[in-house]
Amino acid sequence: MVRNEAGWKVIVVGAGFAGLVAARELAWRGHDVTVVEARDRIGGRAWTDERMGMPLEMGGGWVHWGQPYVWAEMQRYSQDIIESPKPETVYWITGGELKSGTLADLDQLLADPMAAIFQDSATLFPRPHDPFRVLESEESSDELKAAFLAADQGSVLDAVRGGEFSQEQIDLVDAYWSAGYNGFTASASPMMAKWWVALSDNRLSYLDDLTLLYKLKNGMRGVYEGIASQIPGPIRFNTQVSRIDHSSDGVTATLSDGTELTADAIVVTVPITALRQVEFAPALPEPTREVIEQGLNSTGLKIWVKVRGRHSIMAYAPTGNPIAMMKSEYFLDDDSTILVGFAPDASAVDPEDIAAVQEVLRQWVPEIEVLDTTSHDWVADQWSQQTWATWRTGQLTGGWRGFLEPSSRLVFAGADYSTGWNSFVDGAIQSGIVAAHTIDTWSDQG
Ligand SMILES: Cc1cc2nc3c(=O)[nH]c(=O)nc-3n(C[C@H](O)[C@H](O)[C@H](O)COP(=O)(O)OP(=O)(O)OC[C@H]3O[C@@H](n4cnc5c(N)ncnc54)[C@H](O)[C@@H]3O)c2cc1C
């Protein structure tokens, strides 16, 4: 496996999926890798923790064989999947009224407005792992390029506001994407929704399967611990990188205690919003700095709620309600159910306040009794300051592109920087592999 005997010195910042994979791949190719991690654990925004008497995913949880990089790692470390239950009843709030139906009823209401949002996704993303193909290809007409740029403007809901759809449909789409963007739909770029569905063969039902149906039997930790076990040398925990000097000859990373680490190259996997805490010299391009300062659209919360009795449900509520989407995940032997929920605004829900969470749930199921709640606030967490990467208007075709082309020995990797399943564990792994390969190629060239 080792083919580069001289080996470069490489610093990897962050021990989430991207950093762990980059470190493993670089070590396998004979490079001398130092991983520095601000937390006291590996996994980053994937974190299988014991809560409510069982392993629960505080961050990323769902996977699918249609996400090739995470699937490959699952096979490598012998990790199996289980299926999330399909709900018997779906509840939704519209115009202050509660409605209910089956999953088929929901699908029917969503089909046409979602088709309006996805209308041009196949044309704009003909090869979704090469997202800017349309902009960069000489074969694209000026109209197509203009349509691509326009797809990054306005809000994801603009396509459904033309008068063609009922308020009920608009409210459902709003709730769906408030959960999907884990943030406010008003500031959510339509481009991300189009990209996600293009990655899903342009089918909404497949997008749902890819992102919400299968989870790991042993949790994400089975995969990230497997990857970490193949990294030689210790990971330096509780170690924050606060400054990176980078050039075409090498890099210096300055830690928060002033220690300087020098290397031939560096892989930075810090989530984009948390990059506010890292100074770059020379500075990153102005539009890229603007994206960092603005932060991503990912301002929400994932919350676990244990309720008395068996409730096989899914529930939606549009902007203005604290929780946009909830669904049943585990039916326990003690006659209780664990639900998972997604809220667009982490500051609008106090996951510790059982009575307040119960009040939110009672909008959908009037008698429901909440026994316990748990969550991790990734927006308040210093080392993420956001949940999964979701995009505000203009960011993808604007400053985000500045992360993608290395101009020195500094390479960004991570779900937030992935050109494939961006935002997902799959994208984190993909970009870690690509970053390692990029640096390995540079080292070959001397
Ligand atoms: C609530 C939630 C639900 C999600 N659901 C899913 C899902 O169902 N399926 C899916 O595929 N994905 C999901 N995701 C997304 C997925 O978990 C992440 O995109 C992925 O884990 C990110 O990996 P990463 O390595 O790119 O970044 P991270 O995991 O964030 O790793 C970056 C690491 O860098 C460290 N760091 C930050 N700043 C510094 C610094 N200055 N110095 C040193 N270290 C630093 C951090 O502590 C962290 O460990 C979810 C995410 C969240 C938050």
Side-chain angles (χ1 to χ4, degrees), residues 161-179:
R161 291 209 193 277
E164 205 182 323
F165 304 109
S166 67
Q167 191 58 44
E168 183 178 24
Q169 287 175 304
I170 296 172
D171 283 347
L172 267 172
V173 171
D174 182 12
Y176 183 100
W177 288 115
S178 295

Side-chain angles (χ1 to χ4, degrees), residues 85-93 98-110 168 172 175-176 311-317 324-328 364-365:
K86 291 257 166 89
E88 284 160 18
T89 311
V90 183
Y91 298 96
W92 60 96
I93 290 164
L98 176 63
K99 305 237 176 170
S100 64
T102 61
L103 208 47
D105 297 330
L106 174 79
D107 288 346
Q108 206 181 355
L109 279 165
L110 280 174
E168 183 178 24
L172 267 172
Y176 183 100
H311 296 270
S312 174
I313 65 165
M314 188 166 207
Y316 285 101
M325 192 271 259
M326 292 224 67
K327 69 193 279 280
S328 305
W364 294 301
V365 185

Side-chain angles (χ1 to χ4, degrees), residues 13-19 36-39 41-46 58-63 67 70 182 211 220 239-242 269-271 274 277-278 301-302 342 376 378 381-384 386-389 413-417 423-426 428 431:
V13 187
F17 268 105
V36 288
E37 168 54 57
R39 301 178 194 278
R41 61 167 181 84
I42 60 168
R45 280 172 288 166
M58 296 296 107
W62 285 289
V63 294
Q67 297 179 327
V70 69
N182 208 221
T211 56
M220 281 286 183
T239 305
Q240 177 193 357
V241 170
S242 51
T269 73
V270 174
Q277 299 166 134
V278 185
L301 191 79
K302 175 182 184 180
F342 295 93
H376 179 76
W378 298 98
D381 180 327
Q382 185 182 358
W383 309 118
S384 48
Q386 58 169 86
T387 60
W388 64 90
D416 300 31
Y417 312 96
S423 331
F424 292 81
V425 166
D426 190 75
S431 70

Side-chain angles (χ1 to χ4, degrees), residues 155-238:
S155 144
V156 66
L157 295 189
D158 289 350
V160 298
R161 291 209 193 277
E164 205 182 323
F165 304 109
S166 67
Q167 191 58 44
E168 183 178 24
Q169 287 175 304
I170 296 172
D171 283 347
L172 267 172
V173 171
D174 182 12
Y176 183 100
W177 288 115
S178 295
Y181 282 78
N182 208 221
F184 295 108
T185 47
S187 48
S189 165
M191 182 164 265
M192 189 193 93
K194 294 174 195 288
W195 190 10
W196 279 19
V197 83
L199 285 158
S200 312
D201 194 29
N202 294 293
R203 288 182 289 134
L204 175 61
S205 61
Y206 190 39
L207 171 63
D208 288 340
D209 286 1
L210 281 155
T211 56
L212 282 173
L213 190 55
Y214 296 104
K215 49 200 176 190
L216 286 139
K217 202 170 166 186
N218 299 324
M220 281 286 183
R221 67 184 170 200
V223 189
Y224 60 69
E225 285 173 359
I227 301 167
S229 72
Q230 293 192 293
I231 299 173
I235 293 168
R236 292 179 62 162
F237 288 110
N238 305 306

Side-chain angles (χ1 to χ4, degrees), residues 241-436:
V241 170
S242 51
R243 179 184 162 105
I244 295 169
D245 292 80
H246 57 110
S247 74
S248 49
D249 296 325
V251 297
T252 302
T254 308
L255 308 182
S256 53
D257 66 2
T259 308
E260 290 186 351
L261 307 177
T262 56
D264 295 298
I266 191 164
V267 181
V268 175
T269 73
V270 174
I272 288 178
T273 312
L275 278 180
R276 291 166 180 164
Q277 299 166 134
V278 185
E279 190 187 342
F280 291 91
L284 300 177
E286 177 65 30
T288 304
R289 293 206 313 264
E290 273 169 29
V291 171
I292 297 168
E293 278 317 308
Q294 201 178 28
L296 302 195
N297 207 57
S298 334
T299 53
L301 191 79
K302 175 182 184 180
I303 182 170
W304 291 99
V305 183
K306 186 174 183 178
V307 297
R308 192 182 301 285
R310 186 180 188 284
H311 296 270
S312 174
I313 65 165
M314 188 166 207
Y316 285 101
T319 301
N321 292 273
I323 297 179
M325 192 271 259
M326 292 224 67
K327 69 193 279 280
S328 305
E329 278 299 319
Y330 300 100
F331 304 113
L332 305 186
D333 292 341
D334 66 355
D335 193 32
S336 65
T337 306
I338 295 181
L339 306 147
V340 67
F342 295 93
D345 179 3
S347 64
V349 190
D350 178 359
E352 306 285 310
D353 188 344
I354 291 183
V357 173
Q358 178 170 283
E359 203 177 310
V360 176
L361 262 68
R362 284 188 174 184
Q363 298 182 99
W364 294 301
V365 185
E367 301 299 317
I368 205 160
E369 188 186 343
V370 173
L371 303 171
D372 198 5
T373 56
T374 190
S375 180
H376 179 76
D377 185 348
W378 298 98
V379 177
D381 180 327
Q382 185 182 358
W383 309 118
S384 48
Q385 301 189 30
Q386 58 169 86
T387 60
W388 64 90
T390 71
W391 301 94
R392 290 181 198 269
T393 303
Q395 289 182 329
L396 280 170
T397 54
W400 181 63
R401 298 184 75 189
F403 290 116
L404 305 183
E405 294 290 327
S407 59
S408 66
R409 298 272 186 83
L410 158 67
V411 184
F412 289 96
D416 300 31
Y417 312 96
S418 166
T419 52
W421 272 101
N422 182 280
S423 331
F424 292 81
V425 166
D426 190 75
I429 295 169
Q430 175 221 13
S431 70
I433 290 173
V434 171

